[in-house]
Amino acid sequence: MAELRLLLVDDEVEFLEPMEARLKRRKVACGVAQSGTDALALLEKQSFDCAVVDVKMPGMDGLDLLRRLRQQYPALPVILLTGHASVELGVQGMELGAFEYLMKPIDLDELLDTVRRAAEAAKRA
Amino acid sequence: MNLQAEPAARAGENNPYLRLRREMVVVLLCFGLIPLVATGAAGFIASREGLETRTRNVLEAMIKNRKVTVDLFLEESLRQLVLVAASLPIAELSKPSTLVTIRDQARRERSAIVDLGLISDKGEHVAYVGPYKLQSVNYAGEAWFQQVMLRGRYESDVFLGFRRFPHMVMAVKKHEAGRDWIVRATLDTDLLSALVREGGLESGADVFILNRVGEYQTQYSDAHRLMERAELGPVPLHSGVRVVERARPGGGRELCATTWLKADSWVLVARQELPGFSVLAAHPLVMGVLVVGLLLIPPLSYLIARHRLRQIHELEAERGALYESVAQSQKMAAIGRLAAGIAHEINNPLAVIQAQVGVLADALADEGEPIERGDFTTRVKKIQAQVERGRKVTHRLLGFSRRVGPELEPVDVAAALDETLSFLEKEAEAQQIKVVREYQPELPLIRTSLSQMQQVFLNLINNAVDAMQGAGELRLTVRALEGGVEVQIADNGPGIPEKDLQRIFEPFFSTKTSAKLHSGLGLSICLEIVRGLGGRMTVESKPGSGTTFFLWFPKEAAIA
């Protein structure tokens, strides 16, 4: 039984693949999606403790996905992770109900720390 | 951004403020002085005409009256003489005592006769009473003597005669005992002068008598002598009263009334100066307004112009400062947006590298599951690929930021456009915007400022991406045109309504209502830059189908 179930959404496969490999070693059950649409489809099939979502994605971008997730899965905490260094975007994300706004590149332990805090906060709620 | 606020007033000839002030002073002076002077002039002309008519009428009435008086005076004098000659025999007239009696009688009656004499037909003075020593004089050769003998009576002009003093005489012929005698009297020229002069006392006119050749027969002032040629010259014969306006010898104008007397041998003249500007002195209020106006209007015009100019200047300076500060914040916003885009470009490969390195590190730390050699190699290659990706970004950025000045250099416009686009492409892709390039092959290089040109591209592409608000098509066209290069940046966004289209190049005009920092200076600055490079910038837009900006850059930019 996995300790934590994490949904990772990013349009870059080059990023998803090694992340998935590292998370597996840490006993984190990891679901990956290359787009918002894929993510929503995956959520239909299984549930997660937390979602880490890239902001800049073609099609449905991270903020759009965040809106949908808040509506459809209000119990699922969402962490935004982006390379785009924009304060406005961060503010916008937090206003839409993101748990945290993180900048790429990020240390895996730091990310997992935030994910755990988010999952615990969601459980308590 | 290479923006400069409106230059403040510069010193020197070309200072537009000084020129404007000069023009304002002139306009204000015209508006102030023209009506004032016109009113003054109209008043002056009207009042002078009125005065002239009045003067003419007074002069005419006066000269008519004087003519009657003078004619009467001369007639009366002659009548007296005729009466003396007719009523007394020669025997009586030859006695000086009789003549004394007659003269004294005449004096009592205020007649003009100052002396009396009886002259024989030989021209000898038979008897004489009067102030002159004429007892032994013989008049036989004198012209007047001949005249009396011939015509029976004679009235002289003023002449010197034997007395060496201007005088006038009257003489009548008397026939008795087969001989001719002449009774002769001298008339008081002073009395005649006074009589004539009297007419002008009221109006201040000069009134005098001239003979046919234009010599003074009476004196109107000490300014001339009897028998002197008058400046007026001989007056042509005419009937009735004639009034003419003429130039005065000392300047100004005068009215001159003339009428002929005494069987057309004397002419009575009345001369009256016409008022000049002194007419105005008769209206102190008008005069005061005119003088005060003339004195006050020029300094007031100057002060008003200076004050207005100062206000305009202050407004301009304020506007300039505002423009500058907004331009600065716009610049910072553009830099911020660019920085965010670049950070994204670099942070993404860094994140991949970090993840891959993490996998390798995990494998080294975890003794249970060693990593396969093939997998290791793949991951290292992927890391190298991401390093290369980041290097390209920084390299491109270096090229972009190195050029900050407006230096001219040969520029490949298509490459410049691509380079600019590379920073915004990611954002465009994220918005599902398709970028279509229509570049004419083998474009000529043009000499221009690459950095300034890219600034314009960045601004316009940014606007296009913003305008489309989601999916769309960004069409970039580059082609050779009119010796230069034309760039079209077209979006298929909502377009710009016609009422806004005319204003989009105005500073501070913006249709963007989002929370994003938009000062509305973008397009006005683009236009300024393009014009500064000697190019053109126009826009076409159809609501519903998109907006196209047309940029044209000349082969050689001319930086002013």
Side-chain angles (χ1 to χ4, degrees), chain B residues 7-81:
Chain B
R10 279 182 239 107
E13 271 301 298
N14 293 328
N15 187 334
Y17 287 92
L18 284 184
R19 209 186 58 226
L20 191 59
R21 189 172 74 191
R22 250 197 323 269
E23 286 167 4
M24 275 176 80
V25 168
V26 169
V27 169
L28 285 170
L29 276 180
C30 288
F31 271 102
L33 290 180
I34 288 174
L36 187 74
V37 171
T39 311
F44 168 69
I45 288 168
S47 92
R48 194 180 64 172
E49 270 174 7
L51 211 65
E52 205 178 297
T53 312
R54 212 159 55 238
T55 307
R56 187 182 285 263
N57 293 342
V58 168
L59 208 59
E60 215 173 302
M62 184 269 283
I63 203 169
K64 273 181 188 159
N65 172 279
R66 265 317 96 174
K67 174 184 159 70
V68 171
T69 311
V70 172
D71 277 344
L72 209 66
F73 168 81
L74 293 173
E75 256 171 49
E76 182 60 24
S77 302
L78 191 65
R79 198 183 56 76
Q80 274 184 337
L81 205 60

Side-chain angles (χ1 to χ4, degrees), chain B residues 38-234:
Chain B
T39 311
F44 168 69
I45 288 168
S47 92
R48 194 180 64 172
E49 270 174 7
L51 211 65
E52 205 178 297
T53 312
R54 212 159 55 238
T55 307
R56 187 182 285 263
N57 293 342
V58 168
L59 208 59
E60 215 173 302
M62 184 269 283
I63 203 169
K64 273 181 188 159
N65 172 279
R66 265 317 96 174
K67 174 184 159 70
V68 171
T69 311
V70 172
D71 277 344
L72 209 66
F73 168 81
L74 293 173
E75 256 171 49
E76 182 60 24
S77 302
L78 191 65
R79 198 183 56 76
Q80 274 184 337
L81 205 60
V82 169
L83 198 69
V84 167
S87 56
L88 293 171
I90 294 301
E92 279 296 314
L93 288 172
S94 319
K95 290 179 195 162
S97 62
T98 314
L99 293 182
V100 169
T101 312
I102 295 166
R103 191 197 63 183
D104 290 350
Q105 176 73 20
R107 262 186 196 165
R108 274 196 298 278
E109 288 172 10
R110 296 180 185 276
S111 159
I113 293 172
V114 286
D115 69 356
L116 269 174
L118 181 70
I119 297 157
S120 72
D121 53 1
K122 302 279 185 290
E124 290 153 346
H125 238 144
V126 178
Y128 173 77
V129 287
Y132 308 104
K133 291 197 163 68
L134 298 170
Q135 203 67 50
S136 53
V137 169
N138 190 311
Y139 290 112
E142 296 297 308
W144 69 266
F145 181 78
Q146 311 291 337
Q147 286 271 335
V148 187
M149 293 309 273
L150 210 67
R151 286 166 37 186
R153 61 178 61 181
Y154 171 75
E155 292 161 86
S156 77
D157 279 359
V158 174
F159 68 111
L160 288 175
F162 288 107
R163 304 170 205 190
R164 302 279 154 240
F165 187 82
H167 64 289
M168 67 168 288
V169 296
M170 283 183 164
V172 292
K173 191 167 79 173
K174 180 181 170 68
H175 192 76
E176 194 181 299
R179 278 187 71 180
D180 285 332
W181 304 85
I182 292 169
V183 182
R184 175 185 178 277
T186 303
L187 293 188
D188 187 347
T189 50
D190 286 346
L191 195 70
L192 182 63
S193 290
L195 199 68
V196 170
R197 212 160 48 217
E198 208 173 76
L201 284 184
E202 221 171 283
S203 59
D206 299 332
V207 190
F208 49 87
I209 293 172
L210 297 179
N211 62 9
R212 281 203 177 200
V213 291
E215 290 165 348
Y216 286 112
Q217 302 299 303
T218 65
Q219 203 168 10
Y220 66 88
S221 82
D222 292 337
H224 72 99
R225 290 209 202 136
L226 284 176
M227 296 178 64
E228 215 172 47
R229 266 296 178 99
E231 158 273 325
L232 197 62

Side-chain angles (χ1 to χ4, degrees), chain A residues 11-12 14-15 17-19 21-22 25-26 56-59 82-86 88 103-107, chain B residues 340-341 343-344 347-348 350-352 354-356 358-359 362-363 366 369 379 382 386 389 427 429-430 432:
Chain A
D11 60 327
E12 198 149 3
E14 293 293 313
F15 179 67
E17 187 274 324
M19 283 299 280
R22 297 195 73 194
R25 280 183 181 255
R26 283 164 179 72
K56 293 280 171 189
M57 288 185 295
T82 180
H84 206 270
S86 157
E88 293 161 44
M103 288 277 297
K104 280 184 191 173
I106 188 164
D107 185 63
Chain B
H344 183 260
N347 283 338
N348 272 319
L350 283 180
V352 175
Q354 196 195 31
Q356 295 286 13
V359 172
D362 286 350
D366 195 339
E369 277 182 67
R379 288 190 192 283
K382 281 184 175 172
Q386 293 299 322
R389 182 177 157 196
E427 184 150 346
E429 260 173 39
Q432 284 200 317

Side-chain angles (χ1 to χ4, degrees), chain A residues 38-62:
Chain A
D38 289 358
L40 288 170
L42 197 58
L43 273 166
E44 300 268 311
K45 287 181 243 166
Q46 55 185 113
S47 63
F48 292 93
D49 297 315
C50 181
V52 173
V53 176
D54 185 20
V55 177
K56 293 280 171 189
M57 288 185 295
M60 187 192 298
D61 75 4

